[in-house]
Amino acid sequence: MLTVGDLLADLDVRLLTGEPGLELPVRWVHISELLDPTPWLSGGEVLLTTGMQLDSAERQREFVARLADHQLAALGFGTGFAHSEVPQEIVEVASERRFPVFEVPYEVPFIAITEAAFTQLVNEQYAVLRRALAAQERLERIVLSERGLDAVASALATLIGAAVLVFDPRGEPLVQHAFRRPVSAEALSGLRAEIRERARRREARTFMPAGEDASRSLAFPVAADGPPRLGAAGAARIPEAWLVAVKDSGPLSDFDRLTLHQAVTIVALELLRSRVAGDTERRLAGDILAAVVQGELTGAELSRRLEPFGLSDRVAAIVVGRPGSGRGSPAPVEAAVSSALRDDAAPGLVASTQSLTCALVAGMAEDELLGVAERVRARLSLEFGSPVRVAVGRAVPGGEARRSFHEARCALEALGLMVPSENGSNGAGPDAGVAGSRVATYKDLGSFQLLLSLQDDEALKLFCDSILGPIEASEGHYGGELMRSLEAFIEENGQWERAARRLYCHRHTLRYRIRRVEELTGRNLGSARDRIEFWLALRGRELVSSP
């Protein structure tokens, strides 16, 4: 930082007064003969003048007072032109205001002073730029080495000597690192509230956090694919994250601000890398789960495919019924389940199939598994504001994960089937509060668990054929429509409107198909017993269906 003392040290000038101000920073050097040059100055400048218009003591006193009030760094008064020496009134007022005034003799041109200042300022800025580039390279290496957002924030806090926090768009801290002084709980709460309010107003501009010294704290919006743009309605898109820095002591320097601006891009790159890695992992997890459900992946090959997810030996399935009958995007539920498992330090593979989200976790004792599932259920119910159905299957060898998944899925559906609904019929809606009040297990299958856990696939196939065979044997493509209609009707617990919406058909069309199923099978879908047997057959068929 160039100070008044640094500037004068190498110049042939004489300081007349204002020694305490020699440590003031110099932002620039300006030359003016105006009585009031302050409208063209922003503070921190050294002003050079010959005082051509300072022809009275009153004007001289007012001139110096005006410069001091405007926070200039110093005054250089050129003698040998309008004045043979610096007027005493200027020196007196400057001494009272502790404002530096130095005499510039006729032999020293003003350009020599401006060049000296320019050279030092440029060298100073070049040094800052080199430090900032080195800092950016350090942060880039962290991203390339895939050490994560936590390492980026830690390195940034050390580089600028500040507390560094990264928030998600909802104001929840993703990471936070202090250099020496952490952000207080009160300040953290204020930051979260301010970011949530800006998200509500769709504001995506850099701001100074309320309650903090404006010179030592800043919050930057972070967009993974560049600066925030305008959306379709003209409002700025909500940033993907916010980068906040609160300096431990003193104001943010030029280096700090430049490093933070560069760090916004680094944080965006890390978020993008994490998102791409997460999307890839979810796609792989989805492919594996689909192959498991269809029976295409079993045995040693399945065990090998599960190893990269931290699963080996034995696994168990935790199945979650997505809110809203599973019609929405599975991504929020998958993210919430993954987060809950991370908090529990439980490695797992999380993916979705149809209206369910499944987590295959490492096999553990039954009470421990139930504890993990209960914490997942409680967290999701709180986050989505309504009861979320969760079920677990028993731990099985990794190559037999399909059975644990189907056991958990059947337990989840059986619990819903066996809870009385509001209209008095047997079977609650999939989002029923009672069904969502606890974790379902194989014990909820009652006597049906014997059938669904049969190791003899031929016996299970025989049972399924006895119930579903007439439907499958019906005419061509229409048989498939009947089976899909039956499954939707069963899964929606006999609710005509919901089942018809799920199939994208009119309820009268659905009624016709269900009557046709009853004619072909000789069963009555108005009977809870027959509905449960159909449900068992549908689930059993999934277990024995060939790849």
Side-chain angles (χ1 to χ4, degrees):
M1 178 180 65
L2 176 63
T3 65
V4 175
D6 295 333
L7 176 61
L8 301 185
D10 297 326
L11 294 172
D12 188 15
V13 297
R14 182 166 63 96
L15 181 70
L16 301 178
T17 188
E19 287 83 356
L22 290 178
E23 297 302 318
L24 290 173
V26 175
R27 195 179 65 82
W28 198 244
V29 176
H30 187 71
I31 302 172
S32 177
E33 297 297 340
L34 297 174
L35 281 174
D36 183 9
T38 56
W40 291 270
L41 302 173
S42 57
E45 296 92 351
V46 170
L47 180 68
L48 302 178
T49 185
T50 63
M52 295 181 65
Q53 297 195 60
L54 301 178
D55 52 7
S56 68
E58 183 179 358
R59 283 187 171 186
Q60 293 163 5
R61 286 191 292 269
E62 290 176 352
F63 182 73
V64 176
R66 189 177 296 120
L67 299 185
D69 290 342
H70 203 65
Q71 303 298 314
L72 264 68
L75 170 66
F77 199 97
T79 56
F81 294 91
H83 301 271
S84 59
E85 60 182 18
V86 179
Q88 189 59 33
E89 285 77 5
I90 288 181
V91 176
E92 289 177 358
V93 174
S95 180
E96 293 171 2
R97 305 294 293 268
R98 304 166 70 91
F99 180 64
V101 174
F102 59 93
E103 179 184 357
V104 184
Y106 181 83
E107 296 77 15
V108 179
F110 283 174
I111 190 64
I113 300 174
T114 58
E115 284 181 346
F118 179 77
T119 300
Q120 293 190 56
L121 289 172
V122 167
N123 289 338
E124 189 176 278
Q125 291 300 314
Y126 180 64
V128 169
L129 182 58
R130 289 187 62 183
R131 286 181 62 203
L133 288 174
Q136 184 180 23
E137 289 174 0
R138 178 179 173 184
L139 296 174
E140 286 174 350
R141 285 195 296 271
I142 293 174
V143 173
L144 293 174
S145 61
E146 300 183 5
R147 290 163 55 192
L149 189 60
D150 192 70
V152 171
S154 177
L156 184 58
T158 302
L159 284 168
I160 66 174
V164 173
L165 307 93
V166 180
F167 293 86
D168 70 12
R170 298 174 299 172
E172 296 300 322
L174 297 175
V175 297
Q176 49 183 316
H177 271 279
F179 180 59
R180 290 194 180 91
R181 194 184 74 173
V183 176
S184 67
E186 181 181 358
L188 182 61
S189 177
L191 275 170
R192 294 173 62 185
E194 191 164 4
I195 288 173
R196 283 196 296 268
E197 176 61 20
R198 288 177 180 272
R200 187 187 67 79
R201 299 199 306 260
R202 305 190 71 82
E203 288 186 11
R205 291 175 293 184
T206 300
F207 69 92
M208 290 173 288
E212 293 287 351
D213 185 343
S215 67
R216 72 182 193 94
S217 61
L218 276 177
F220 299 84
V222 179
D225 53 353
R229 298 177 305 215
L230 293 182
R237 188 184 55 219
I238 298 175
E240 184 174 352
W242 288 88
L243 172 63
V244 181
V246 181
K247 192 82 170 175
D248 278 13
S249 60
L252 289 163
S253 66
D254 289 342
F255 167 75
D256 297 334
R257 293 173 184 272
L258 183 55
T259 301
L260 284 168
H261 276 287
Q262 294 171 331
V264 169
T265 302
I266 298 297
V267 171
L269 286 173
E270 177 56 33
L271 291 173
L272 179 61
R273 187 197 65 77
S274 300
R275 188 169 68 248
V276 169
D279 290 344
T280 301
E281 183 173 307
R282 280 193 293 274
R283 283 197 297 271
L284 289 173
D287 291 344
I288 291 174
L289 181 61
V292 168
V293 171
Q294 297 299 323
E296 299 171 355
L297 196 57
T298 58
E301 176 62 17
L302 175 56
S303 297
R304 185 184 69 80
R305 297 279 291 275
L306 291 176
E307 284 180 6
F309 295 91
L311 305 175
S312 58
D313 298 328
R314 297 176 67 78
V315 299
I318 299 177
V319 173
V320 178
R322 297 202 300 271
S325 300
R327 293 188 180 88
S329 168
V333 180
E334 290 178 9
V337 172
S338 297
S339 180
L341 292 178
R342 280 196 302 272
D343 290 348
D344 241 301
L349 174 155
V350 180
S352 297
T353 176
Q354 298 176 8
S355 62
L356 303 172
T357 295
C358 174
L360 290 179
V361 299
M364 56 188 77
E366 184 174 327
D367 57 345
E368 188 178 357
L369 178 62
L370 283 173
V372 172
E374 174 55 36
R375 287 188 287 276
V376 169
R377 186 201 66 79
R379 175 169 180 153
L380 266 63
S381 297
L382 180 65
E383 185 161 336
F384 292 101
S386 62
V388 175
R389 300 176 303 136
V390 176
V392 296
R394 284 173 289 189
V396 296
E400 300 176 16
R402 187 185 190 207
R403 288 192 177 275
S404 184
F405 167 76
H406 278 288
E407 186 174 85
R409 175 183 178 178
C410 290
L412 191 72
E413 294 181 353
L415 186 62
L417 285 170
M418 297 173 189
V419 175
S421 65
E422 293 180 0
N423 60 14
S425 63
N426 201 26
D431 298 318
V434 176
S437 63
R438 65 178 176 84
V439 174
T441 71
Y442 68 94
K443 297 176 183 177
D444 293 301
L445 294 173
S447 59
F448 301 121
Q449 68 177 280
L450 175 63
L451 178 65
L452 291 171
S453 62
L454 283 175
Q455 297 299 312
D456 185 353
D457 284 353
E458 287 302 319
L460 187 55
K461 186 174 186 300
L462 183 62
F463 169 78
C464 297
D465 286 344
S466 69
I467 296 177
L468 302 178
I471 304 173
E472 293 178 328
S474 63
E475 294 183 0
H477 175 72
Y478 194 67
E481 291 292 343
L482 292 180
M483 195 68 75
R484 283 189 289 273
S485 298
L486 172 62
E487 183 156 9
F489 184 74
I490 295 296
E491 290 189 358
E492 295 295 348
N493 299 295
Q495 298 187 33
W496 295 101
E497 291 290 346
R498 293 177 63 161
R501 283 199 301 271
R502 180 170 179 164
L503 293 166
Y504 300 102
C505 70
H506 196 277
R507 65 179 182 277
H508 294 321
T509 302
L510 178 61
R511 288 182 185 276
Y512 173 79
R513 292 175 183 173
I514 295 302
R515 282 200 302 271
R516 179 62 178 156
V517 168
E518 291 174 333
E519 291 171 2
L520 289 169
T521 60
R523 295 175 181 271
N524 177 15
L525 278 162
S527 163
R529 179 185 181 88
D530 284 348
R531 284 208 305 274
I532 290 174
E533 288 196 354
F534 273 123
W535 170 72
L536 283 169
L538 289 167
R539 295 297 164 260
R541 178 56 54 86
E542 291 179 356
L543 281 171
V544 298
S545 60
S546 56

